[in-house]
Structures are given as C-alpha cells and as structure tokens.
Amino acid sequence: MLHPVGISVGFDLDLTLADTRTGIAAVYDEVSGRLGVPIDSAAVITRLGPPLEQELANWLPPEEVPAAASLFRELYPRLALPATTAMAGAAEAVRAVRAAGGRVIVVTGKNVRDATSTIELLGFEVDEVVGSLFGAAKGSALARFGAAAYVGDHVADIEAARAGNAVSVTVATGPYTAEELRDHGADVALGDLTEFAAWYSGWRPPAERGRS
C-alpha cells in the first residue's frame, strides 16, 4: 500500500503513549532494597525521559551504575510491565495516523525489548520501534522513517523533532507544562493525546502544503 507523503508520525513512549510511572517506581524500589541504597522513586518518576544510567547516577557511585542498570532491566518485565497502562488518548492517536494512511514509529529511550513488550501489552499497532535513544540522537531514526512529526512529553523530544526535520508536537503529560514546552520551542503543545486526533485531522505537513 502506498502511503501519502509526509503524514507518518513518530511517538515517544514513556508518559506520551504509556503511563509507566507506577511500574518504574516499583522497579526502583526493588533495586533500592536489593542494593541497600536509598532511592526516592517518587522523585524519579517526576523526571522520566533521560537514560536509565543518568538517573541511577543520582543515587549510586559511577562504578556501581552499570550493575544497577542491569538489575533494573532484569526486573522490569516482571515488575513494571503488569503495572503499565495507556495514556489517555494514546490508542486513538495511533489509530488516527493509521486511518489517514500514515505509518507510526516509536522512538524511545527505553531499550527495544521493553519498549516492544510495552507496545504489545497495550495493543498499539506500530510499524517500527527504535530504542535506547534520547534527545537529538532520535533524529536519525525519525528522518530515516520519514516521520513528518514527532510527539513527546519532554523538552528533549523537541530536540529530537528538530534533528529529524519533523514538526515538534508535545503533550503536557510529563515533567513540563504546555507553556514550558512552547517556551522551549515546541511547534504544537497539547494538554494530552486526547487532543491529538483533532489536531492531526486539520494538519497539513509542509510537504503537502507545498503542493497547493
């Protein structure tokens, strides 16, 4: 099937498509207990987005971070996945893109195994999953896929969209308000994904507008 040019969309995962806060907090609590190191999981889940190792470095000496990250990833499928739910409007957002003939790529900082398992658990129909990327490093995956827009909740997702030559669509469901996201240069700032389908239905990507 041929897809119209320029309507494919990339999505971030944590706090954009998937509410992983409860599950991630449970994993951090277990890591904390096993290692005997205090970790404030309530604080951790207010700043999801950056790589796991970066967060662990707030609680552990540098030499202990790799082992703690391995333990976290070992525990994730059992503790975090069952507690994961879809963000409001997420399923409808993915369906809106597909109904228009577009393709969907998920580009996330989460590793591919856990990202794929999360997407399968929530029943999202996506064309590709790329993991372990953050900020502007996501841009190459978005550009290769041909995503005309990238949707995320973090200011680093604005950098990702810019690097991938995509429109930056943000949702205020993570650590930033809509105003803060706009101040950081987001092209579009939505309250949450329940607003996405209406925005998407009225949007014409630059490649399409240029044909008028």
Side-chain angles (χ1 to χ4, degrees), residues 94-117:
V94 172
R95 285 199 296 266
V97 177
R98 302 195 68 85
R103 299 185 303 147
V104 174
I105 184 174
V106 173
V107 188
T108 174
K110 193 181 298 297
N111 67 82
V112 171
R113 180 201 68 185
D114 293 335
T116 301
S117 296

Short mmCIF file of all heavy atoms in Angstrom, two decimals, residues 94-117:
data_model
loop_
_atom_site.label_atom_id
_atom_site.label_comp_id
_atom_site.label_asym_id
_atom_site.label_seq_id
_atom_site.Cartn_x
_atom_site.Cartn_y
_atom_site.Cartn_z
N VAL A 94 -2.76 6.85 17.79
CA VAL A 94 -2.13 5.91 16.86
C VAL A 94 -3.11 5.54 15.75
O VAL A 94 -2.75 5.50 14.56
CB VAL A 94 -1.64 4.66 17.61
CG1 VAL A 94 -1.16 3.59 16.63
CG2 VAL A 94 -0.52 5.03 18.58
N ARG A 95 -4.36 5.29 16.12
CA ARG A 95 -5.36 4.93 15.12
C ARG A 95 -5.61 6.06 14.13
O ARG A 95 -5.84 5.83 12.94
CB ARG A 95 -6.67 4.52 15.79
CG ARG A 95 -6.62 3.15 16.42
CD ARG A 95 -8.02 2.61 16.66
NE ARG A 95 -8.77 3.41 17.62
CZ ARG A 95 -8.83 3.14 18.91
NH1 ARG A 95 -8.18 2.08 19.41
NH2 ARG A 95 -9.54 3.90 19.72
N ALA A 96 -5.56 7.31 14.61
CA ALA A 96 -5.79 8.45 13.73
C ALA A 96 -4.75 8.52 12.62
O ALA A 96 -5.08 8.80 11.46
CB ALA A 96 -5.79 9.75 14.54
N VAL A 97 -3.50 8.26 12.98
CA VAL A 97 -2.43 8.28 11.98
C VAL A 97 -2.63 7.16 10.97
O VAL A 97 -2.56 7.37 9.75
CB VAL A 97 -1.05 8.17 12.65
CG1 VAL A 97 0.05 8.12 11.59
CG2 VAL A 97 -0.82 9.34 13.60
N ARG A 98 -2.92 5.98 11.47
CA ARG A 98 -3.07 4.83 10.58
C ARG A 98 -4.31 4.97 9.70
O ARG A 98 -4.30 4.59 8.53
CB ARG A 98 -3.12 3.55 11.39
CG ARG A 98 -1.87 3.34 12.26
CD ARG A 98 -1.76 1.91 12.76
NE ARG A 98 -1.49 1.02 11.63
CZ ARG A 98 -0.27 0.78 11.15
NH1 ARG A 98 0.79 1.36 11.69
NH2 ARG A 98 -0.11 -0.04 10.14
N ALA A 99 -5.38 5.54 10.25
CA ALA A 99 -6.60 5.71 9.47
C ALA A 99 -6.40 6.68 8.30
O ALA A 99 -7.07 6.58 7.27
CB ALA A 99 -7.73 6.22 10.36
N ALA A 100 -5.45 7.61 8.47
CA ALA A 100 -5.15 8.57 7.41
C ALA A 100 -4.17 8.00 6.39
O ALA A 100 -3.81 8.69 5.43
CB ALA A 100 -4.59 9.85 8.02
N GLY A 101 -3.72 6.78 6.61
CA GLY A 101 -2.76 6.16 5.70
C GLY A 101 -1.31 6.35 6.10
O GLY A 101 -0.40 5.97 5.36
N GLY A 102 -1.10 6.95 7.26
CA GLY A 102 0.27 7.17 7.74
C GLY A 102 0.82 5.97 8.48
O GLY A 102 0.09 5.06 8.87
N ARG A 103 2.11 5.98 8.66
CA ARG A 103 2.78 4.94 9.44
C ARG A 103 3.20 5.52 10.78
O ARG A 103 3.29 6.72 10.96
CB ARG A 103 4.00 4.40 8.68
CG ARG A 103 3.65 3.77 7.33
CD ARG A 103 4.86 3.13 6.68
NE ARG A 103 5.93 4.11 6.52
CZ ARG A 103 7.23 3.83 6.61
NH1 ARG A 103 7.64 2.61 6.88
NH2 ARG A 103 8.14 4.77 6.42
N VAL A 104 3.47 4.63 11.74
CA VAL A 104 3.80 5.03 13.10
C VAL A 104 5.12 4.39 13.52
O VAL A 104 5.28 3.16 13.41
CB VAL A 104 2.69 4.63 14.09
CG1 VAL A 104 3.12 4.94 15.53
CG2 VAL A 104 1.39 5.36 13.76
N ILE A 105 6.03 5.21 14.01
CA ILE A 105 7.27 4.72 14.60
C ILE A 105 7.33 5.19 16.05
O ILE A 105 6.92 6.32 16.35
CB ILE A 105 8.52 5.22 13.82
CG1 ILE A 105 9.81 4.61 14.40
CG2 ILE A 105 8.60 6.73 13.80
CD1 ILE A 105 11.06 4.93 13.58
N VAL A 106 7.78 4.33 16.93
CA VAL A 106 8.02 4.71 18.32
C VAL A 106 9.52 4.80 18.52
O VAL A 106 10.25 3.84 18.24
CB VAL A 106 7.40 3.68 19.29
CG1 VAL A 106 7.81 4.00 20.74
CG2 VAL A 106 5.88 3.67 19.16
N VAL A 107 9.98 5.96 18.96
CA VAL A 107 11.41 6.18 19.20
C VAL A 107 11.54 6.61 20.66
O VAL A 107 11.01 7.64 21.06
CB VAL A 107 12.01 7.25 18.27
CG1 VAL A 107 13.53 7.29 18.43
CG2 VAL A 107 11.64 6.97 16.82
N THR A 108 12.25 5.81 21.44
CA THR A 108 12.24 5.96 22.90
C THR A 108 13.61 5.73 23.51
O THR A 108 14.47 5.08 22.90
CB THR A 108 11.23 4.95 23.50
OG1 THR A 108 11.30 4.98 24.92
CG2 THR A 108 11.52 3.53 23.04
N GLY A 109 13.77 6.24 24.72
CA GLY A 109 14.99 5.96 25.47
C GLY A 109 14.98 4.57 26.07
O GLY A 109 16.03 4.06 26.47
N LYS A 110 13.82 3.97 26.17
CA LYS A 110 13.72 2.62 26.72
C LYS A 110 14.34 1.61 25.76
O LYS A 110 14.31 1.80 24.54
CB LYS A 110 12.24 2.28 26.96
CG LYS A 110 12.01 1.04 27.82
CD LYS A 110 10.54 0.73 28.00
CE LYS A 110 9.79 1.83 28.69
NZ LYS A 110 10.25 2.08 30.07
N ASN A 111 14.92 0.54 26.29
CA ASN A 111 15.52 -0.47 25.42
C ASN A 111 14.44 -1.12 24.57
O ASN A 111 13.26 -1.16 24.92
CB ASN A 111 16.30 -1.50 26.25
CG ASN A 111 15.38 -2.33 27.12
OD1 ASN A 111 14.77 -3.31 26.67
ND2 ASN A 111 15.25 -1.96 28.39
N VAL A 112 14.85 -1.64 23.42
CA VAL A 112 13.90 -2.16 22.43
C VAL A 112 13.06 -3.31 23.00
O VAL A 112 11.86 -3.40 22.74
CB VAL A 112 14.63 -2.61 21.15
CG1 VAL A 112 13.67 -3.34 20.22
CG2 VAL A 112 15.23 -1.41 20.44
N ARG A 113 13.66 -4.18 23.79
CA ARG A 113 12.90 -5.30 24.34
C ARG A 113 11.72 -4.83 25.16
O ARG A 113 10.58 -5.26 24.95
CB ARG A 113 13.82 -6.17 25.21
CG ARG A 113 13.12 -7.39 25.83
CD ARG A 113 13.89 -7.90 27.05
NE ARG A 113 13.83 -6.94 28.16
CZ ARG A 113 14.49 -7.10 29.31
NH1 ARG A 113 15.26 -8.16 29.49
NH2 ARG A 113 14.38 -6.20 30.28
N ASP A 114 11.98 -3.94 26.11
CA ASP A 114 10.92 -3.49 27.00
C ASP A 114 9.95 -2.54 26.29
O ASP A 114 8.76 -2.53 26.59
CB ASP A 114 11.51 -2.81 28.24
CG ASP A 114 12.25 -3.80 29.12
OD1 ASP A 114 11.93 -5.00 29.07
OD2 ASP A 114 13.14 -3.37 29.87
N ALA A 115 10.46 -1.77 25.34
CA ALA A 115 9.58 -0.90 24.56
C ALA A 115 8.61 -1.73 23.73
O ALA A 115 7.40 -1.45 23.70
CB ALA A 115 10.41 0.01 23.66
N THR A 116 9.13 -2.75 23.07
CA THR A 116 8.28 -3.61 22.25
C THR A 116 7.26 -4.34 23.10
O THR A 116 6.08 -4.43 22.74
CB THR A 116 9.14 -4.61 21.46
OG1 THR A 116 10.06 -3.89 20.63
CG2 THR A 116 8.28 -5.51 20.58
N SER A 117 7.68 -4.85 24.25
CA SER A 117 6.76 -5.54 25.14
C SER A 117 5.66 -4.61 25.63
O SER A 117 4.50 -5.01 25.76
CB SER A 117 7.52 -6.11 26.34
OG SER A 117 8.44 -7.11 25.93
#
